[in-house]
Amino acid sequence: MEKFSLTSLSASSVHQTRRFRRYRPDRVLVLLFLFAAICIFLRSNASPPTTHIPSNPEPLIPAQVWQLYTTVGPRIANTTHQNALKATRIAANLAATWFPVDGNWSYRFIGTEFGTQFVKEHFRGQPDIVDVYNSLRVPVMASDFLRYLLLAGDGGVYADSDVEMIKPLQDWVPVPYRDVTRAMIGVEKDHPANDEPDGWSFRFVQHTLITAKAHPIMINMVRNITDKMLQLSHEKDTPLSQLELHDRDVVRITGPRGFKDVVFEHLSGEVGENIGWRNFTQMKEPKLFGDTLIVPINFFAAGQQHSGSDGTSPDKRVQHYWSGTWRHWDESM
């Protein structure tokens, strides 16, 4: 078999090889040029990349309004049928002010039966919470506890049934804070008082609350109420449903003092320093702490005869009429 070697190449073969080597670079350049041209053409005619944006992005605060007519008993001794009927009429009239809301908002006016079912469904994994709620026999405490449970479980806007909506819900959170606010809480009292610690009376609004679902303030409030009630039952060696509760218990457990403590604790954790009433006294502009917006007194407590409250302020979101509808009950709801 003949071995292959360079010497065996014919003259024509060598000539062809040299010609190939001479033209190969040009051909490569042509191919590269054509390839680049095709890529440029395809890129210029391709559709730009798109980012999927939901047509209805989920809001930070759910678009739902909660109002309730507490139906726990027994009736307190000084509640007459006439007073209860008056409270019912007030609630019915003011409820109408919440209907012309943006079409994306839902509205619920609920009573004890719905509340009991809601708590059972949303907190079935925490039976101590359910037990404490079902055991409460003081109307104001049941009303307080249920509003926190509703917002912890589902979020949205809560308003007492004696609260009138003044400004449309979609305008409540000031524009600069709308992309970050998951809780909005207003100042209610801010004035000197000899019978208060530091000689100053300060509290946050409870009759109107706005939070996202499972916001830490609502979660912590629910847990604090539960723990304090269980502790009280243990200390008095008395079943929850038989506890004799006083005004001071209401104030410190479900009421303004208990709520204020939880809010201050949350805000302090957000900024890493101790936050108290001095951070908000005489405030004129909203203050943001993480995702929690604290707003001046005129947002939710305008028209009071103290604390520099101004009933004509353009900041006014609601009008609270202080009719105490939580004091009455109605088994039919």
Side-chain angles (χ1 to χ4, degrees):
M1 180 176 179
E2 182 179 352
K3 295 183 179 180
F4 177 79
S5 68
L6 288 176
T7 56
S8 66
L9 290 173
S10 63
S12 60
S13 298
V14 172
H15 177 72
Q16 290 176 0
T17 301
R18 288 174 179 173
R19 185 176 61 183
F20 174 76
R21 288 175 179 172
R22 184 168 59 247
Y23 287 103
R24 185 175 181 179
D26 294 339
R27 292 180 180 178
V28 171
L29 288 175
V30 170
L31 290 173
L32 289 175
F33 175 80
L34 290 174
F35 179 75
I38 292 171
C39 289
I40 293 173
F41 174 80
L42 292 175
R43 185 175 181 181
S44 63
N45 287 275
S47 299
T50 58
T51 301
H52 176 66
I53 301 176
S55 57
N56 294 304
E58 185 176 347
L60 296 178
I61 297 174
Q64 57 189 355
V65 176
W66 301 96
Q67 288 193 295
L68 61 91
Y69 195 75
T70 308
T71 63
V72 298
R75 291 177 190 264
I76 57 177
N78 62 350
T79 300
T80 65
H81 176 74
Q82 184 177 5
N83 288 338
L85 182 60
K86 179 181 178 181
T88 303
R89 287 174 175 169
I90 291 173
N93 290 334
L94 295 180
T97 68
W98 295 88
F99 292 145
V101 295
D102 180 81
N104 293 327
W105 286 77
S106 63
Y107 173 86
R108 290 184 176 181
F109 189 80
I110 68 171
T112 297
E113 185 176 350
F114 179 94
T116 301
Q117 188 63 29
F118 179 94
V119 174
K120 179 180 178 181
E121 292 178 356
H122 284 73
F123 298 91
R124 62 166 58 94
Q126 301 175 75
D128 55 343
I129 293 175
V130 178
D131 289 344
V132 168
Y133 175 74
N134 289 333
S135 72
L136 287 174
R137 292 296 177 266
V138 180
V140 64
M141 295 188 78
S143 174
D144 285 344
F145 198 15
L146 183 53
R147 73 192 64 189
Y148 305 133
L149 289 162
L150 290 170
L151 294 178
D154 263 358
V157 174
Y158 168 83
D160 279 355
S161 54
D162 57 353
V163 172
E164 177 185 7
M165 184 175 69
I166 302 297
K167 184 169 287 191
L169 286 163
Q170 55 267 30
D171 298 331
W172 278 22
V173 179
V175 173
Y177 308 102
R178 288 181 185 172
D179 292 337
V180 294
T181 298
R182 297 182 68 250
M184 182 175 174
I185 296 172
V187 173
E188 183 176 65
K189 280 189 176 182
D190 180 28
H191 63 82
N194 294 330
D195 59 344
E196 292 284 344
D198 302 322
W200 201 265
S201 178
F202 184 93
R203 68 170 59 171
F204 292 111
V205 168
Q206 291 173 270
H207 61 70
T208 305
L209 298 166
I210 308 98
T211 75
K213 177 180 179 179
H215 191 275
I217 289 179
M218 295 299 122
I219 293 294
N220 292 340
M221 194 64 194
V222 167
R223 176 43 56 190
N224 277 15
I225 291 171
T226 302
D227 292 345
K228 288 177 181 178
M229 288 296 297
L230 292 173
Q231 181 182 1
L232 197 59
S233 174
H234 176 74
E235 290 173 352
K236 295 188 176 184
D237 193 22
T238 304
L240 286 166
S241 59
Q242 297 178 24
L243 282 173
E244 183 179 348
L245 299 169
H246 304 280
D247 288 347
R248 64 177 178 273
D249 296 316
V250 175
V251 171
R252 76 176 183 87
I253 297 177
T254 66
R257 185 166 300 168
F259 184 58
K260 179 177 65 174
D261 290 345
V262 167
V263 173
F264 281 158
E265 182 180 1
H266 174 74
L267 299 181
S268 298
E270 287 291 297
V271 297
E273 61 182 73
N274 188 43
I275 299 296
W277 65 267
R278 289 182 177 84
N279 296 91
F280 305 106
T281 185
Q282 308 300 315
M283 67 183 294
K284 303 300 181 184
E285 298 293 333
K287 294 184 178 181
L288 186 67
F289 296 77
D291 63 4
T292 302
L293 188 67
I294 307 298
V295 294
I297 194 167
N298 287 326
F299 275 64
F300 298 121
Q304 300 179 99
Q305 301 302 312
H306 58 75
S307 309
S309 176
D310 178 8
T312 64
S313 171
D315 290 336
K316 185 176 179 180
R317 267 61 174 167
V318 301
Q319 180 63 57
H320 186 209
Y321 289 98
W322 306 94
S323 65
T325 50
W326 47 264
R327 296 189 180 96
H328 317 293
W329 65 302
D330 178 1
E331 290 288 359
S332 64
M333 295 193 67

